[in-house]
């Protein structure tokens, strides 16, 4: 039984198998191990994948699609030749091509696969990836997190001694951070964080914007084809910065006459805000794992975008050591997926490795926001199973009535890190019956159980009657209807003259919400409590009280940020 190991990437994809006691990467029809994750539909509605599609993206950009991995798990579609395609369908085209290449190379039919996904993918994105595999004719035996696959490829699971390390995975469109520990045959993930909308494409975009300005070109006046030519050329320039200090770019378009010179230093400065975004998930992951940078044995770089010298320098400064990048960062995840496929097939040449994982997002429910007297914010998020809990995991919390004679408790389940439930993803809801009584006298015990496959089970027990309720969460979030959008706009319009919208107050609330998302447990409760107090003062709209509250709240936030790691 051959199981295909697949790295389904934003920019490039690759695959391999475990055979002859080693991981073996599979070349495509052109002899390359990397297949660009680009899809082109020709005038006869034939699908082309890879380098051909990549070339066509310059001459026929409106008939090609790329970077669609970013839209996995959403309702967004791309129109090619007058037909709409979802990210799942486009990903299925990539997987079909990899499957076809594998079958030609191996001389046998392939029906099973292990596919890698960013560690920070939520449940909806993971289900979408699995669906793409099924559409391509593959039974997806397992989804393996990309940092975990990279760790396996590096052979860290084979080290006899204890090892604690961080994997930084910066691909074309996503960024993942994972802290892992290996001991006694167990590869355990301690914490994960990341940014699903940060990758090499964003670094390319800042370079494109700089070039357009330097060349006095207006993006809006350029055709899709012209813009794609510029992007293609500047992708080459971005790579040249790894070996040279500056690059002089010859005119790219026929209308241009002047050359443009860009230095590596300029590129690094233009990318500073992106490098700062990379630092934040790193700090969050260290904090969640209760570690300092010096506690790590190694820092491993994964993903093609980690070749950038600016990124490697930034990481080296953060950790005061050179990061490890011994294996081709473009291929290391595919190699790990191939090894994981061998483990799944129970190849005798591989020692069993016990893999543990974590819940990438916090799961919880909504509770009444007593400070929201105007009804503008909605319920507060009450975490039950916090992010980076080792799975399988089960946690319980109790909730009580908030009104006299209340007969029902409605529990809406959310996934996310924001303190306001409206900013998190709704996964479903359960309504339970309780006897009439004074507020706070009736309640229910809510238990969340989450496993490695992303299955969430919710068990609720009414404390006074013992009646139980159960729900398995499977449904994905939907889009807002036009009616809901109109209602939201109406709410926002009423906020225009409220003190809450003043810039100073907005900045303080934004700081507090950022800190809430990056902290856990007691610190989250402190931030939640202080925010509730501050917003209560704003609701009263007394200028003097608000001014005093601003000073007090700012001191609280300053004290909280004294423990920065970098």
């Amino acid at each position: 039984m051959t199981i295909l190991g697949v790295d389904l990437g934003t920019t490039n994809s690759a695959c391999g198998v475990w055979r002859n006691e080693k991981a073996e990467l599979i070349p495509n029809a052109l002899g390359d191990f990397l297949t660009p994750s680009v899809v082109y539909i020709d005038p006869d509605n034939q699908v082309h994948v890879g380098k051909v599609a990549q070339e066509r993206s310059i001459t026929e950009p409106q008939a090609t699609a790329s970077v669609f991995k970013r839209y996995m798990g959403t309702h967004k579609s791309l129109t090619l030749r007058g037909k709409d395609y979802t990210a799942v369908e486009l990903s299925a085209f990539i997987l079909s091509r990899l499957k076809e290449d594998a079958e030609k190379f191996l001389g046998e039919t392939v029906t099973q696969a292990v596919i890698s996904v960013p560690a920070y993918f939520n449940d909806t994105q993971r289900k979408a990836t699995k669906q793409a595999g099924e559409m391509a004719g593959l039974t997806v035996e397992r989804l393996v997190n990309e940092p975990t696959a990279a760790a396996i490829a590096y052979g860290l699971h084979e080290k006899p001694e204890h090892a604690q390390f961080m994997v930084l995975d910066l691909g074309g469109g996503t960024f993942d951070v994972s802290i892992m520990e290996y001991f006694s045959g167990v590869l355990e993930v301690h914490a994960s964080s990341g940014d699903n909308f940060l990758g090499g494409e964003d670094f390319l975009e800042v370079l494109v914007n700089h070039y357009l300005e330097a060349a006095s070109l207006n993006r809006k006046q350029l055709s899709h084809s012209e813009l794609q030519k510029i992007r293609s050329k500047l992708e080459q320039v971005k790579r040249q910065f790894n070996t040279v200090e500056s690059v002089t770019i010859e005119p790219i378009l026929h209308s241009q006459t002047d050359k443009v010179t860009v230095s590596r230093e300029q590129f690094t400065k233009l990318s500073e805000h992106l490098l700062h975004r990379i630092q934040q998930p790193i700090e969050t992951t260290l904090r969640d794992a209760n570690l300092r940078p010096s506690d790590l044995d190694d820092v491993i770089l994964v993903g093609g975008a980690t070749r950038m010298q600016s990124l490697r320098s930034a990481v080296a400064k953060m950790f005061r050591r050179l990061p490890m990048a011994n294996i081709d960062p473009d291929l290391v995840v595919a190699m790990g997926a191939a090894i994981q496929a061998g483990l799944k097939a129970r190849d005798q040449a591989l020692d069993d490795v016990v893999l543990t994982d974590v819940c990438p997002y916090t799961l919880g429910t909504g509770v009444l926001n007593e400070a929201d007297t105007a009804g503008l914010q909605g319920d507060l998020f009450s975490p039950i199973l916090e992010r980076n809990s080792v799975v399988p995991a089960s946690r319980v919390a109790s909730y009580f009535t908030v009104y006299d004679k209340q007969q029902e408790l409605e529990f809406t389940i959310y996934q996310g890190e924001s303190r306001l439930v409206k900013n998190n993803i709704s996964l479903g809801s359960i309504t339970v019956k309780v006897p009439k009584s004074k507020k706070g006298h009736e309640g229910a015990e809510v238990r969340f159980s989450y496993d490695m496959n992303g299955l969430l089970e919710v068990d609720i027990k009414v404390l006074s009657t013992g009646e139980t309720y159960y729900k398995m969460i499977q449904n994905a979030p939907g889009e807002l209807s036009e009616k809901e959008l109109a209602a939201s706009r109406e709410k926002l319009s009423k906020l225009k003259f409220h003190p809450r919208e003043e810039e100073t107050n907005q900045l303080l609330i934004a700081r507090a919400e950022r800190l809430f998302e990056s902290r856990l447990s007691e610190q989250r409760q402190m931030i939640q409590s202080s925010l509730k107090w501050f917003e209560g003062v704003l609701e009263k709209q007394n200028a003097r009280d608000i001014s005093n509250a601003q000073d007090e709240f700012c001191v609280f936030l300053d004290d909280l940020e004294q423990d920065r790691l970098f």
Side-chain angles (χ1 to χ4, degrees), residues 130-204:
K130 193 171 182 179
Q131 186 182 358
E134 291 166 353
M135 289 175 67
L138 293 166
T139 300
V140 182
E141 293 292 332
R142 179 166 181 184
L143 297 175
V144 60
N145 286 343
E146 289 166 4
T148 304
I152 293 172
Y154 266 94
L156 291 163
H157 62 292
E158 296 173 349
K159 285 190 174 183
E161 72 276 10
H162 172 272
Q164 198 161 236
F165 52 95
M166 175 181 280
V167 178
L168 302 181
D169 184 353
L170 185 66
T174 59
F175 177 54
D176 268 342
V177 183
S178 287
I179 292 177
M180 300 182 188
E181 182 178 12
Y182 176 75
F183 57 94
S184 305
V186 177
L187 187 59
E188 183 171 295
V189 181
H190 280 307
S192 290
S193 187
D195 190 330
N196 286 339
F197 293 91
L198 176 62
E201 290 290 324
D202 300 284
F203 286 85
L204 174 60

Side-chain angles (χ1 to χ4, degrees), residues 82-146:
K83 185 178 178 181
D84 292 339
Y85 295 91
T86 65
V88 171
E89 291 169 326
L90 294 167
S91 297
F93 290 145
I94 303 293
L95 290 169
S96 293
R97 177 50 51 86
L98 295 177
K99 178 179 183 289
E100 183 182 322
D101 290 336
E103 288 176 339
K104 286 181 180 177
F105 180 75
L106 298 170
E108 60 179 282
T109 302
V110 176
T111 60
Q112 296 171 294
V114 169
I115 302 177
S116 67
V117 290
Y120 211 52
F121 256 22
N122 61 33
D123 295 343
T124 309
Q125 292 165 311
R126 290 169 188 266
K127 287 171 185 170
T129 303
K130 193 171 182 179
Q131 186 182 358
E134 291 166 353
M135 289 175 67
L138 293 166
T139 300
V140 182
E141 293 292 332
R142 179 166 181 184
L143 297 175
V144 60
N145 286 343
E146 289 166 4

Side-chain angles (χ1 to χ4, degrees), residues 208-238:
V208 169
N209 290 336
H210 174 73
Y211 177 81
L212 292 176
E213 184 178 348
S216 301
L217 294 171
N218 187 329
R219 181 188 287 263
K220 293 180 180 178
Q221 294 176 353
L222 297 175
S223 66
H224 286 293
S225 181
E226 289 174 326
L227 191 57
Q228 193 58 39
K229 281 181 182 178
I230 291 172
R231 288 179 62 84
S232 181
K233 177 61 180 177
L234 292 182
E235 175 62 38
Q236 297 173 26
V237 171
K238 187 183 78 170

Side-chain angles (χ1 to χ4, degrees), residues 329-363:
D330 281 310
L331 299 172
V332 63
V333 171
M335 290 178 65
I339 296 170
Q340 179 61 36
L343 286 166
K344 190 70 184 174
R346 304 194 67 81
D347 190 289
Q348 293 181 351
L350 284 168
D351 293 329
D352 276 345
V353 179
V354 177
L355 297 176
T356 72
D357 217 328
V358 293
C359 178
Y361 290 88
T362 298
L363 295 162

Side-chain angles (χ1 to χ4, degrees), residues 395-411:
R395 301 285 186 275
V396 68
S398 297
Y399 298 91
F400 297 88
T401 54
V402 292
Y403 306 112
D404 290 338
K405 299 181 181 180
Q406 188 173 335
Q407 293 179 277
E408 290 182 342
L409 287 171
E410 183 178 1
F411 295 98

Side-chain angles (χ1 to χ4, degrees), residues 210-443:
H210 174 73
Y211 177 81
L212 292 176
E213 184 178 348
S216 301
L217 294 171
N218 187 329
R219 181 188 287 263
K220 293 180 180 178
Q221 294 176 353
L222 297 175
S223 66
H224 286 293
S225 181
E226 289 174 326
L227 191 57
Q228 193 58 39
K229 281 181 182 178
I230 291 172
R231 288 179 62 84
S232 181
K233 177 61 180 177
L234 292 182
E235 175 62 38
Q236 297 173 26
V237 171
K238 187 183 78 170
R239 297 182 184 189
Q240 285 179 268
F241 286 141
N242 295 336
T243 54
V244 299
E245 290 295 328
S246 67
V247 178
T248 299
I249 307 166
E250 297 289 336
I252 300 172
L253 307 179
H254 293 305
S255 59
Q256 292 179 268
T257 55
D258 297 330
K259 300 176 182 179
V260 174
T261 299
V262 186
S263 69
R264 182 197 295 175
E265 186 180 352
Q266 282 178 302
F267 176 55
T268 301
K269 191 169 183 179
L270 291 166
S271 307
E272 275 182 354
H273 67 292
L274 297 175
L275 293 171
H276 182 68
R277 279 175 64 187
I278 280 170
Q279 181 177 311
Q280 289 176 328
I282 292 173
E283 185 165 341
T284 296
T285 311
L286 283 165
R287 197 183 300 281
D288 286 0
N290 198 25
L291 295 173
R292 302 196 70 79
S294 57
D295 296 328
L296 299 172
D297 296 309
D298 281 307
V299 178
I300 298 169
L301 298 184
V302 177
T306 60
R307 296 180 191 275
M308 291 186 295
Q309 287 299 319
S310 56
L311 177 109
R312 294 194 176 192
S313 297
V315 172
K317 286 178 184 177
M318 273 188 272
F319 292 93
R320 297 182 180 178
R321 74 176 81 181
L322 290 175
M324 185 187 294
N326 304 340
I327 303 177
D328 187 331
D330 281 310
L331 299 172
V332 63
V333 171
M335 290 178 65
I339 296 170
Q340 179 61 36
L343 286 166
K344 190 70 184 174
R346 304 194 67 81
D347 190 289
Q348 293 181 351
L350 284 168
D351 293 329
D352 276 345
V353 179
V354 177
L355 297 176
T356 72
D357 217 328
V358 293
C359 178
Y361 290 88
T362 298
L363 295 162
T365 189
V367 295
L368 182 68
N369 184 356
E370 294 177 350
D372 184 26
T373 56
L376 300 172
Q377 295 176 313
D379 290 346
L380 296 174
F381 184 46
S382 174
I384 295 177
L385 189 61
E386 295 204 270
R387 70 169 185 268
N388 289 323
S389 298
V390 175
V391 295
S394 188
R395 301 285 186 275
V396 68
S398 297
Y399 298 91
F400 297 88
T401 54
V402 292
Y403 306 112
D404 290 338
K405 299 181 181 180
Q406 188 173 335
Q407 293 179 277
E408 290 182 342
L409 287 171
E410 183 178 1
F411 295 98
T412 302
I413 294 91
Y414 295 95
Q415 173 180 271
E417 306 303 328
S418 175
R419 70 185 192 93
L420 298 178
V421 297
K422 67 181 181 181
N423 297 328
N424 293 328
I425 296 174
S426 173
L427 300 178
S429 63
I430 313 175
T431 301
V432 306
K433 302 288 185 182
V434 295
K436 286 183 182 180
S437 186
K438 291 183 179 180
K439 72 174 184 178
H441 282 218
E442 288 293 331

Side-chain angles (χ1 to χ4, degrees), residues 44-87:
D44 296 324
N45 284 322
Q46 294 295 310
V47 179
H48 301 266
V49 168
K51 273 193 174 178
V52 172
Q54 193 174 52
E55 289 294 330
R56 290 294 185 183
S57 68
I58 299 173
T59 56
E60 298 182 69
Q62 292 175 310
T64 60
S66 60
V67 201
F68 42 80
K69 182 177 175 179
R70 285 186 164 181
Y71 308 130
M72 289 293 271
T74 73
H75 299 287
K76 184 177 176 66
S77 62
L78 299 174
T79 304
L80 308 177
R81 300 281 181 198
K83 185 178 178 181
D84 292 339
Y85 295 91
T86 65

Side-chain angles (χ1 to χ4, degrees), residues 429-490:
S429 63
I430 313 175
T431 301
V432 306
K433 302 288 185 182
V434 295
K436 286 183 182 180
S437 186
K438 291 183 179 180
K439 72 174 184 178
H441 282 218
E442 288 293 331
E445 187 179 79
V446 181
R447 177 173 292 279
F448 280 11
S449 302
Y450 189 85
D451 74 358
M452 212 162 185
N453 296 313
L455 179 70
L456 174 64
E457 293 184 310
V458 181
D459 293 279
I460 300 177
K461 181 180 179 181
V462 179
L463 296 173
S464 63
T465 66
E467 189 173 359
T468 60
Y469 297 78
Y470 170 83
K471 188 177 183 73
M472 184 186 294
I473 301 298
Q474 291 177 310
N475 57 309
E479 294 177 320
L480 290 175
S481 66
E482 282 300 315
K483 185 177 180 181
E484 289 169 326
L485 283 170
S488 295
R489 292 191 191 103
E490 185 178 353

